[in-house]
Amino acid sequence: MSASRLVLASSRPDRTEAMRAFEAGCVGYCHAFADRETLQQVQEVVAAGNVWVGRELMQQLLAAASHAAARRPAADAGWSAGLTEREREVSELAANGVSNRDIALRCRITERTVKAHLAAVFHKLNVTDRLQLALRVHGIS
């Protein structure tokens, strides 16, 4: 018998409700009227044992991490050891909440290439998502 994993779907999603849901043990938080493709992504992410937070909440969390890092002494650049210059550039943009589409535009590469760089970075740094990457880049433990 497998353990249940709860995703909260809200018709009026907001950060406070999301944080309460995660504190209560939910592993996902999304809009109740999300399209079919998004709901399938939520299911796949949760089934893989990860947490779904959605794009807007992720951007808010990344912005919060970036603000927290700005109030701290400069982060140790050792986080990027073993990364290529492009991987480092993509990582820094992602860690500051820039979308894959905007990273692709800024770096003059395709979104698919951005995803490939991020996958390589996640593997090399042993992180599983953009939030963990942001914490690493900003030197927050």
Side-chain angles (χ1 to χ4, degrees), residues 42 65 69 105 117 132 140:
V42 172
L105 291 171
H117 283 309
Q132 288 181 358
I140 301 171

Side-chain angles (χ1 to χ4, degrees), residues 1-131:
M1 188 162 131
S2 64
S4 298
R5 298 179 51 85
L6 185 65
V7 173
L8 177 62
S10 175
S11 59
R12 294 181 147 196
D14 69 70
R15 184 170 61 173
T16 302
E17 181 182 57
M19 297 312 293
R20 286 186 185 140
F22 290 121
E23 288 170 1
C26 288
V27 295
Y29 182 82
C30 65
H31 199 290
F33 304 112
D35 59 61
R36 180 182 176 144
E37 292 78 23
T38 299
L39 293 175
Q40 286 176 328
Q41 288 178 343
V42 172
Q43 189 275 330
E44 290 170 6
V45 167
V46 170
N50 297 311
V51 175
W52 177 270
V53 295
R55 179 176 295 156
E56 288 182 27
L57 182 56
M58 179 61 78
Q59 288 177 335
Q60 291 173 355
L61 292 170
L62 292 173
S66 184
H67 291 309
R71 293 189 303 268
R72 299 171 48 112
D76 177 18
W79 68 267
S80 63
L83 301 183
T84 66
E85 184 177 333
R86 180 65 87 183
E87 289 170 343
R88 192 169 32 258
E89 179 182 18
V90 169
S91 297
E92 288 171 347
L93 290 167
N96 286 302
V98 179
S99 70
N100 286 359
R101 180 177 176 268
D102 290 337
I103 293 171
L105 291 171
R106 288 186 192 188
C107 296
R108 298 175 190 249
I109 57 178
T110 66
E111 283 186 66
R112 185 175 182 166
T113 303
V114 171
K115 290 177 184 180
H117 283 309
L118 286 173
V121 168
F122 289 177
H123 177 74
K124 289 178 180 180
L125 298 182
N126 195 30
V127 298
T128 59
D129 57 45
R130 290 171 82 104
L131 183 56

